[in-house]
Amino acid sequence: MSEKKFNYKGVGEIGYNYGGLFIMEHEGKYYWLIENYNTDFEDLSDWLEIDKELYDSLVAYEARRAS
């Protein structure tokens, strides 16, 4: 089994047929991705850059949801 290139995590139950919403921080930048049938989680070009404020809001949302 290969090791993940990126450290990403799912957010809540946001999604559709093929998968959900994922976020990650990588080299000081923030990204999100909505999984599709052909998503390559290890290809940075599949991710969209977002600002830190949105990333932090999604992390806080997930923390509240989990408690």
Side-chain angles (χ1 to χ4, degrees), residues 42-60:
E42 303 304 317
D43 182 353
L44 191 58
S45 69
D46 278 6
W47 294 84
L48 295 173
E49 190 172 346
I50 58 175
D51 65 18
K52 184 177 186 324
E53 182 179 4
L54 177 55
Y55 177 86
D56 289 344
S57 293
L58 291 168
V59 169

Side-chain angles (χ1 to χ4, degrees), residues 18-30:
Y18 293 111
L21 174 64
F22 293 83
I23 59 172
M24 73 168 175
E25 178 183 1
H26 178 69
E27 296 183 348
K29 295 184 178 182
Y30 304 90

